[in-house]
C-alpha cells in the first residue's frame, strides 16, 4: 500500500513537471496553433535566470522567489521577440514555422554554450526545499517535488482565471476561435497574438525555474523536454487546457508505475507505445471543441 | 458627411478577377441591397471594403480612405460587417460576444479587471436583437436565426455606422425574416445599411435602392422597380438571351 502511494506521488510529481513544461505550449501551440520548437529553450532561459540571479542574490530562497517573475518576463520577452521577428510572418505555414523555430532553438542553445559554457551549471536550492516530508514511516516525499506540484497547480489556476474571467482572456479566446470576426469586431488581433505569445512563453520561463530544483541546467535541457511537452498537448486535445492537465498527470503516474516494475528506458518505451495507441483511437486527443455550427 | 464611395475596385485572387472595376455610392441613411448570381463578387467586395481581401482602387467612408488600413482600424472607423454563415464566437456566451465587440476602446490596464455591471449600450443592443433572455448561453448553442441577430447586435455595440450585412436572412423562418426586416427598418433610422441578399421577396419589401452585380461588375442600379424592369438584369437572372454557354 505504501509502495503504491509512494509511486503514485512520484508519478504525480513527474506529472506536475510535465504540466509545467506543457502549460505554456498549450497556449502557443494549443490555442494559437504555432509549432514553436524553441519553447524548450525558453524553459532553459528560465533555468539560467535562476543561475544568474544567484550570482547577485545570495539567499537561495530569495533568489528562487525573485526568479519566478523575472524568468516569466525574460522568457516572455524572448517569445514576443520571436513572434514579432519571425512567427507572425509565417502564420498558416506550420512546416515553415517548425523549421524556423527549430533553427532558433539551435541558435539559443549555442548562445547558452557561449555565455555559460557547455557543461551543466549548478544552482542552490533553498534549505526549505532540500529536505523531505515524512508522511508515514515508509512514505517520504521530497519538499521540492511538493513545491513543483503547488507551483504547477497555481500556474494552471492563474491561467484558467485569466482565460475564463478577464476581458484579456476573452480576447485571446475570441482571436483563437475566429480571427477574421475578431478583427472586424475591432480587436487588434496582432497585438492579442503577441500578448498570448508573451504569456505562453513566460510560463515556459516559470517551468525553467522549477526544473532547477530537480535536474541539471545545461544548454541542451530544452531539447530533452520539448518532445514530452508537445506530446502532452497533443494527447490532451489541441486547445484544451483541461486535457493538458489530465494527460500530464496520467502520463506521469503511468511512467512512474511502469518504471517501478521495469526500468526507466523500458518505461519510456511503454508510455510512448501507449500514446501512439491512444492517438490511433482518438486522433483528436482527449478533449475536442464541440459546437452546433452550421458553417 | 458623405457615405460609402467605391471607385474602380478590383480584387484579384491568383489571376482570377473576382471584382472587376466596380464603382458604388451608398449615401448615408440608405438601405441598399446588392444582388447578383453566385460568383458575382458581392461578398468579395465587402471583404475588400472591410480590409479582409487585398484590393486596388479607392474606397472611402466619410472622410476616411479605407483601402490599405488594418481590418480592426476599418472596424473602428464605424464600418461593421457580418459574415455569410452566421459567424459568432461559438465558445463564448452571448454577453461575452457583445462585450468583445463593445470593448475595443478599453485600455490595457482595465483588461484584467472584471466588469461589474453590463453597460447600457450592451443592454440596449441585447434588447434590440431580442437576445436578453439567452444572454448567458454559449453562442454556439443558439438557433441559426439568433446567431444572425447576435451578429447585428455586435455591430450595434461596436458603434458601427455602416452595416454591411452578408445574407442576413439566409436560412431563417418566415417569422424570423419579418422580424429581421423590421430590425433593418429600425437600423436604417440612424445607420447606413448595405445588404447582400438572394431572397427577392425580402428585397422587394425592405430595399430602398438596389445594385445588381454580375461577373465582378456592376450591371444595374436603381429602385426595386427600375432594376426589375431592366432587360440586362432579366437576362442574367432568367437567362433569356444567353447564347454563350
Amino acid at each position: 500500500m505504501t509502495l503504491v502511494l509512494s509511486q503514485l506521488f512520484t508519478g504525480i510529481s513527474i506529472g506536475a513537471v510535465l504540466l509545467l513544461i506543457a502549460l505554456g505550449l498549450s497556449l502557443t501551440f494549443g490555442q494559437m496553433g504555432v509549432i514553436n520548437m524553441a519553447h524548450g529553450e525558453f524553459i532553459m532561459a528560465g533555468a539560467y535566470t535562476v543561475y544568474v540571479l544567484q550570482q547577485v542574490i545570495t539567499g537561495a530562497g530569495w533568489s528562487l522567489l525573485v526568479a519566478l517573475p523575472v524568468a516569466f518576463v525574460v522568457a516572455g520577452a524572448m517569445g514576443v521577440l520571436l513572434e514579432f521577428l519571425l512567427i507572425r510572418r509565417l502564420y498558416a505555414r506550420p512546416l515553415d514555422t517548425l523549421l524556423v523555430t527549430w533553427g532558433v532553438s539551435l541558435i539559443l542553445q549555442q548562445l547558452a554554450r557561449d555565455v555559460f559554457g557547455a557543461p551543466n551549471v549548478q544552482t542552490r536550492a533553498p534549505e526549505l526545499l532540500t529536505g523531505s516530508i515524512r508522511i508515514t514511516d515508509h512514505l517520504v516525499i521530497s519538499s521540492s517535488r511538493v513545491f513543483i506540484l503547488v507551483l504547477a497547480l497555481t500556474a494552471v489556476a492563474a491561467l484558467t482565471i485569466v482565460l475564463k474571467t478577464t476581458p484579456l482572456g476573452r480576447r485571446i479566446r475570441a482571436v483563437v476561435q475566429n480571427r477574421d470576426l475578431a478583427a472586424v469586431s475591432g480587436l487588434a488581433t496582432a497585438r492579442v497574438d503577441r500578448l498570448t505569445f508573451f504569456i505562453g512563453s513566460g510560463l515556459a520561463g516559470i517551468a525553467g525555474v522549477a526544473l532547477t530544483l530537480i535536474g541539471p541546467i545545461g544548454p541542451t535541457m530544452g531539447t530533452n523536454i520539448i518532445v514530452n511537452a508537445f506530446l502532452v498537448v497533443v494527447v490532451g486535445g489541441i486547445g484544451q487546457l483541461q486535457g493538458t492537465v489530465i494527460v500530464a498527470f496520467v502520463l506521469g503516474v503511468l511512467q512512474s508505475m511502469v518504471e517501478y516494475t521495469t526500468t526507466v528506458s523500458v518505461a519510456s518505451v511503454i508510455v510512448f507505445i501507449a500514446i501512439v495507441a491512444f492517438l490511433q483511437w482518438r486522433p483528436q486527443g482527449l478533449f475536442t471543441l464541440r459546437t452546433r455550427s452550421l458553417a | 458627411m458623405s457615405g460609402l464611395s467605391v471607385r474602380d475596385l478590383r480584387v484579384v485572387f491568383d489571376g482570377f478577377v473576382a471584382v472587376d472595376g466596380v464603382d458604388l455610392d451608398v449615401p448615408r441613411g440608405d438601405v441598399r441591397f446588392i444582388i447578383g448570381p453566385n460568383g458575382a463578387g458581392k461578398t468579395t467586395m465587402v471583404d475588400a471594403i472591410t480590409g479582409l481581401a487585398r484590393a486596388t482602387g479607392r474606397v472611402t467612408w466619410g472622410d476616411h480612405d479605407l483601402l490599405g488600413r488594418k481590418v480592426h482600424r476599418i472596424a473602428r472607423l464605424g464600418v461593421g460587417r457580418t459574415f455569410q454563415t452566421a459567424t459568432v464566437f461559438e465558445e463564448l456566451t452571448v454577453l461575452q460576444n457583445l462585450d468583445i465587440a463593445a470593448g475595443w476602446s478599453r485600455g490595457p490596464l482595465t483588461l484584467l479587471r472584471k466588469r461589474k455591471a453590463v453597460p447600457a449600450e450592451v443592454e440596449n443592443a441585447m434588447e434590440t436583437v431580442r437576445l436578453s433572455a439567452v444572454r448567458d448561453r454559449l453562442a454556439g448553442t443558439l438557433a441559426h436565426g439568433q446567431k444572425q441577430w447576435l451578429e447585428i447586435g455586435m455591430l450595434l455595440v461596436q458603434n458601427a455606422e455602416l452595416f454591411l450585412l452578408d445574407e442576413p436572412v439566409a436560412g431563417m423562418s418566415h417569422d424570423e425574416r419579418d422580424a429581421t426586416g423590421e430590425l433593418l427598418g429600425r437600423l436604417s433610422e440612424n445607420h447606413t445599411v448595405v445588404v447582400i441578399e438572394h431572397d427577392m421577396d425580402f428585397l422587394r419589401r425592405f430595399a430602398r435602392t438596389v445594385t445588381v452585380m454580375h461577373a465582378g461588375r456592376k450591371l444595374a442600379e436603381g429602385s426595386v422597380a427600375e432594376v426589375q424592369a431592366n432587360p440586362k438584369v432579366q437576362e442574367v437572372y432568367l437567362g433569356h438571351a444567353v447564347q454563350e454557354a
Side-chain angles (χ1 to χ4, degrees):
Chain A
M1 188 59 208
T2 316
L3 195 66
V4 173
L5 273 181
S6 107
Q7 284 307 307
L8 192 68
F9 183 78
T10 308
I12 288 175
S13 69
I14 295 174
V17 174
L18 280 176
L19 180 56
L20 264 180
I21 61 177
L23 197 59
L25 209 60
S26 82
L27 256 189
T28 55
F29 173 57
Q31 300 275 333
M32 294 173 70
V34 173
I35 300 178
N36 177 17
M37 296 300 285
H39 191 81
E41 276 59 49
F42 294 167
I43 296 175
M44 173 191 81
Y48 275 115
T49 303
V50 179
Y51 175 73
V52 171
L53 280 173
Q54 288 198 342
Q55 317 300 315
V56 188
I57 305 169
T58 40
W62 281 112
S63 62
L64 194 73
L65 216 55
V66 174
L68 283 173
V70 174
F72 185 82
V73 173
V74 167
M78 286 170 73
V80 168
L81 205 64
L82 179 65
E83 202 272 348
F84 183 74
L85 292 178
L86 295 170
I87 291 174
R88 76 186 168 117
R89 300 166 208 277
L90 298 170
Y91 279 122
R93 284 161 65 188
L95 192 62
D96 297 350
T97 315
L98 188 151
L99 290 173
V100 165
T101 54
W102 187 49
V104 170
S105 121
L106 294 178
I107 292 171
L108 290 176
Q109 281 175 36
Q110 187 56 42
L111 204 65
R113 258 181 227 114
D114 291 344
V115 176
F116 302 105
N120 292 338
V121 297
Q122 295 296 321
T123 58
R124 298 183 304 277
E127 220 165 286
L128 190 67
L129 297 180
T130 47
S132 47
I133 301 165
R134 181 177 294 272
I135 294 182
T136 68
D137 275 351
H138 302 283
L139 184 57
V140 180
I141 54 185
S142 86
S143 23
S144 61
R145 293 278 177 178
V146 176
F147 174 76
I148 290 173
L149 180 61
V150 171
L151 186 65
L153 293 178
T154 311
V156 170
L159 185 60
T160 309
I161 288 170
V162 167
L163 282 180
K164 294 269 177 193
T165 67
T166 65
L168 173 70
R170 204 172 297 150
R171 287 178 174 197
I172 291 176
R173 287 159 70 207
V175 172
V176 166
Q177 283 174 42
N178 193 325
R179 177 170 298 274
D180 283 350
L181 178 60
V184 302
S185 301
L187 283 195
T189 51
R191 238 169 58 199
V192 175
D193 284 340
R194 215 156 295 148
L195 213 54
T196 313
F197 221 79
F198 177 77
I199 298 174
S201 306
L203 286 168
I206 301 248
V209 174
L211 288 184
T212 62
L213 293 172
I214 52 168
I217 304 159
T220 54
M221 65 182 291
T223 327
N224 300 336
I225 47 188
I226 188 70
V227 174
N228 286 335
F230 270 107
L231 277 181
V232 169
V233 178
V234 170
V235 175
I238 308 280
Q240 299 297 308
L241 201 53
Q242 49 183 354
T244 302
V245 176
I246 292 170
V247 167
F249 286 120
V250 167
L251 286 185
V253 170
L254 192 66
Q255 173 87 28
S256 112
M257 292 293 179
V258 180
E259 220 169 80
Y260 183 73
T261 45
T262 59
T263 65
V264 177
S265 358
V266 174
S268 298
V269 171
I270 290 177
V271 169
F272 264 101
I273 291 173
I275 289 173
V276 171
F278 177 81
L279 287 177
Q280 287 296 317
W281 171 57
R282 268 185 87 85
Q284 72 276 37
L286 195 58
F287 292 95
T288 41
L289 287 165
R290 229 179 273 114
T291 53
R292 213 183 91 187
S293 167
L294 283 175
Chain B
M1 258 225 298
S2 53
L4 176 70
S5 153
V6 175
R7 286 290 167 272
D8 194 29
L9 188 74
R10 276 173 63 86
V11 182
V12 182
F13 297 120
D14 296 328
F16 170 71
V17 183
V19 178
D20 190 4
V22 170
D23 292 338
L24 183 75
D25 281 290
V26 184
R28 295 244 173 190
D30 198 358
V31 180
R32 170 72 54 91
F33 274 56
I34 296 178
I35 60 168
N38 282 329
K42 310 176 297 279
T43 298
T44 310
M45 183 170 72
V46 169
D47 286 349
I49 294 171
T50 51
L52 289 174
R54 213 181 269 270
T56 58
R58 183 151 194 244
V59 178
T60 55
W61 166 247
D63 303 326
H64 301 286
D65 268 306
L66 300 187
L67 288 194
R69 277 183 205 263
K70 292 222 171 85
V71 179
H72 68 274
R73 297 268 167 221
I74 295 175
R76 292 175 188 189
L77 289 173
V79 177
R81 72 166 293 175
T82 64
F83 291 89
Q84 228 161 33
T85 44
T87 307
V88 291
F89 299 115
E90 310 247 329
E91 300 272 307
L92 299 177
T93 67
V94 169
L95 199 53
Q96 288 173 337
N97 268 273
L98 292 167
D99 245 4
I100 294 255
W104 56 257
S105 51
R106 296 175 65 191
L109 280 177
T110 67
L111 279 178
L112 284 171
R113 270 208 311 269
K114 220 173 152 176
R115 259 191 304 195
K116 285 173 195 77
V118 178
E121 80 261 22
V122 172
E123 199 69 68
N124 289 339
M126 260 190 311
E127 203 61 51
T128 309
V129 296
R130 307 168 177 211
L131 292 174
S132 303
V134 291
R135 63 173 73 192
D136 292 323
R137 289 234 330 248
L138 286 185
T141 67
L142 294 179
H144 188 62
Q146 287 177 314
K147 284 188 197 173
Q148 281 152 305
W149 286 337
L150 177 56
E151 290 188 283
I152 294 177
M154 286 166 74
L155 297 187
L156 281 171
V157 296
Q158 79 187 56
N159 290 323
E161 297 162 358
L162 172 64
F163 281 50
L164 302 162
L165 307 177
D166 199 349
E167 303 194 12
V169 298
M172 276 190 174
S173 72
H174 208 81
D175 291 344
E176 285 174 331
R177 264 163 219 244
D178 287 347
T180 308
E182 191 236 339
L183 179 59
L184 285 191
R186 262 186 292 156
L187 283 182
S188 66
E189 285 164 19
N190 35 25
H191 300 89
T192 311
V193 184
V194 174
V195 183
I196 294 176
E197 194 46 75
H198 283 296
D199 188 316
M200 295 307 277
D201 178 50
F202 187 71
L203 175 139
R204 274 189 285 272
R205 286 172 57 196
F206 298 107
R208 266 179 224 160
T209 53
V210 181
T211 298
V212 185
M213 285 181 68
H214 178 55
R217 291 168 179 276
K218 191 165 82 174
L219 193 69
E221 199 165 77
S223 69
V224 178
E226 280 164 11
V227 164
Q228 274 184 316
N230 186 316
K232 279 196 290 184
V233 175
Q234 290 172 349
E235 192 181 301
V236 166
Y237 265 86
L238 304 170
H240 276 307
V242 178
Q243 298 303 322
E244 72 273 34

